[in-house]
């Protein structure tokens, strides 16, 4: 049987003597991602550890019900804070601003430790609405995707169970086991779960131009089924050799007006932002084969790129409307927000104008 220390070492959560201490489970420490449980009771937060201050990242749970109660009983600006009264008036504000101590709203017995460099939280319901909430996160410093199952009222817990339980086959030091983790190639960016019912997750990588496709279901959990090499363009403006992506957004598909490349809504149609080239790339997935099908690229008419230097150009993207006809794209350098027309033309192709 593996000892806890050995298990942590195998996970990349424990180093040699003198290296950083275990990641805290009782506070916010460089938080990077968040999600709310289905009962709206808990805010789940990933502590990224991007400064490598600790031996790993962590996932902690902040009690929103306790926060609601505390906001009805705000203490004076100079009052000491306790778990029963974690909020007070901000002494430096003339506008009645309230400050709350997050650590007093976090139950350290609920948190778990995950590989270092954890990013955003992506939510899945592998067993449907009656089953647990599955929280997935990609870690960049120890390239991997970890999943943690959350159980609570209305999401997988029995009536006699506690208000929240997190499970990643963790040990007594609350380090998630290798059974709840899959390795990926270097520098994963934002993880996205399919929104149209296909059992996939999409993971661009910030460098090396790669896009990873994960199947969410399998005997041992989520797993990598395809990696598309040279998916993203290299920087063509400054010839830095950099190339990568940041996030994927999925266009909704209506059977009454399906995009041509969706094959009558039998394939997900997706867009990925390019990190070092000012544009997006379209792609599909052959659902029966678990294979990425690269599509065309579209340059975006953004701000003055010559002033950007070899820095990241685009980042997050999301559809503005339920029909998927307006795509918003964050332009990082120079800063701007772009709107892309993704309505369908006469041939059923997104206009991308």
């Amino acid at each position: 049987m593996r000892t806890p220390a050995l298990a942590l070492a195998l996970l990349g959560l424990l180093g040699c003597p003198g290296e950083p201490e275990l990641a805290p489970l009782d506070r916010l420490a460089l938080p990077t991602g968040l999600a709310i449980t289905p009962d709206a009771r808990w805010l789940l937060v990933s502590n990224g550890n991007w400064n490598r201050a600790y031996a790993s990242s962590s996932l902690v749970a902040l009690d929103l019900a306790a926060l609601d109660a505390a906001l009805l009983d705000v203490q004076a600006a100079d009052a000491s804070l306790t778990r029963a009264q974690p909020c007070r008036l901000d002494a430096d504000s003339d506008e009645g601003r309230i400050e709350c101590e997050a650590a007093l709203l976090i139950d350290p017995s609920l948190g778990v430790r995950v590989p270092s460099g954890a990013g955003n939280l992506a939510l899945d319901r592998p067993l449907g609405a009656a089953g647990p909430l599955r929280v997935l996160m990609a870690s960049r410093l120890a390239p991997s995707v970890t999943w943690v199952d959350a159980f609570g009222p209305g999401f997988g817990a029995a009536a006699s169970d506690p208000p929240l339980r997190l499970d990643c086959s963790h040990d007594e030091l609350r380090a998630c086991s290798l059974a709840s983790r899959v390795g990926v190639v270097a520098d994963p960016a934002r993880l996205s779960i399919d929104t149209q019912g296909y059992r996939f997750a999409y993971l661009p990588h910030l460098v090396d131009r790669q896009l990873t496709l994960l199947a969410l279901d399998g005997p041992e959990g989520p797993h990598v089924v395809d990696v598309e090499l040279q998916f993203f363009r290299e920087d063509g403006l400054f010839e830095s050799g950099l190339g990568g992506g940041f996030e994927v957004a999925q266009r909704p598909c209506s059977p009454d007006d399906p995009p041509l490349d969706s094959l009558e809504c039998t394939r997900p149609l997706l867009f990925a932002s390019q990190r070092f080239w000012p544009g997006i790339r379209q792609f599909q997935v052959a659902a029966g084969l678990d294979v990425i099908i690269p599509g065309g690229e579209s340059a975006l008419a953004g701000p003055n790129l010559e002033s950007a230097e070899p820095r990241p150009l685009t980042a997050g993207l999301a559809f503005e409307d339920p029909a998927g006809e307006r795509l918003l794209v964050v332009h990082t350098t120079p800063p701007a927000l772009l709107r892309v027309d993704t309505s369908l033309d006469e041939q059923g192709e997104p206009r991308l104008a």
Side-chain angles (χ1 to χ4, degrees):
M1 180 178 294
R2 290 176 179 150
T3 65
L6 178 56
L8 283 172
L10 290 172
L11 277 166
L13 302 182
L14 186 66
C16 299
E19 290 193 355
E21 62 185 89
L22 295 178
L25 303 177
D26 60 352
R27 74 199 80 154
L28 300 182
L30 288 184
T32 51
L34 57 83
I36 297 177
T37 57
D39 61 350
R41 166 71 189 274
W42 302 93
L43 179 69
L44 304 177
V45 182
S46 55
N47 286 325
N49 191 41
W50 289 100
N51 60 356
R52 303 177 190 260
Y54 302 102
S56 72
S57 291
S58 60
L59 179 68
V60 300
L62 189 147
D63 190 340
L64 294 177
L67 175 60
D68 288 341
L71 292 174
L72 298 175
D73 186 22
V74 177
Q75 303 304 294
D78 57 349
S80 298
L81 298 180
T82 65
R83 284 200 172 272
Q85 295 174 316
C87 298
R88 64 189 171 197
L89 293 173
D90 184 352
D92 297 326
S93 172
D94 296 328
E95 302 174 353
R97 186 170 58 192
I98 298 171
E99 61 179 4
C100 302
E101 178 52 63
L104 297 175
L105 299 164
I106 294 173
D107 183 347
S109 69
L110 297 177
V112 294
R113 296 185 171 98
V114 300
S116 204
N120 71 299
L121 303 183
L123 303 183
D124 184 33
R125 300 298 291 270
L127 300 179
L133 179 72
R134 176 160 287 176
V135 185
L136 298 97
M137 68 207 86
S139 292
R140 186 180 179 194
L141 300 181
S144 56
V145 172
T146 302
W147 57 93
V148 179
D149 288 336
F151 298 81
F155 53 105
S160 58
D161 287 343
L164 181 68
R165 177 170 64 88
L166 301 181
D167 179 24
C168 55
S169 302
H170 49 273
D171 60 21
E172 54 264 46
L173 294 179
R174 304 196 67 80
C176 292
S177 77
L178 291 173
S180 295
R181 174 187 179 191
V182 59
V184 296
V185 295
D187 292 297
R190 288 185 62 86
L191 180 69
S192 302
I193 301 295
D194 191 280
T195 60
Q196 300 293 303
Y198 300 95
R199 300 297 295 149
F200 294 120
Y202 312 104
L203 183 61
H205 297 263
L206 295 169
V207 298
D208 292 337
R209 305 174 61 191
Q210 299 181 86
L211 175 71
T212 292
L213 176 69
L214 296 100
L216 293 170
D217 300 323
E220 298 180 357
H223 55 287
V224 174
V225 291
D226 193 17
V227 178
E228 184 68 24
L229 306 177
Q230 299 182 352
F231 181 84
F232 296 103
R233 272 205 195 193
E234 284 188 359
D235 161 31
L237 189 61
F238 299 99
E239 299 182 352
S240 65
L242 297 171
F246 189 81
E247 188 173 16
V248 169
Q250 184 171 6
R251 191 188 191 281
C253 190
S254 170
D256 297 329
D257 188 23
L260 178 65
D261 290 334
S262 74
L263 300 185
E264 302 294 330
C265 296
T266 62
R267 287 181 175 175
L269 177 61
L270 308 116
F271 296 91
S273 55
Q274 306 223 34
R275 201 68 171 126
F276 298 97
W277 183 75
I280 55 178
R281 183 162 195 187
Q282 183 175 316
F283 70 100
Q284 300 87 43
V285 173
L289 301 175
D290 296 351
V291 171
I292 297 168
I293 303 174
E297 296 172 309
S298 178
L300 302 179
N304 181 13
L305 296 178
E306 284 70 19
S307 65
E309 302 180 0
R311 296 177 181 175
L313 297 179
T314 61
L317 72 173
F319 281 98
E320 181 182 4
D321 62 310
E325 296 189 343
R326 298 186 301 276
L327 180 65
L328 299 178
V329 182
V330 172
H331 203 288
T332 306
T333 312
L337 182 64
L338 308 179
R339 175 186 279 169
V340 182
D341 181 3
T342 49
S343 63
L344 302 180
D345 61 19
E346 293 75 10
Q347 288 74 43
E349 297 280 6
R351 289 185 168 85
L352 302 181

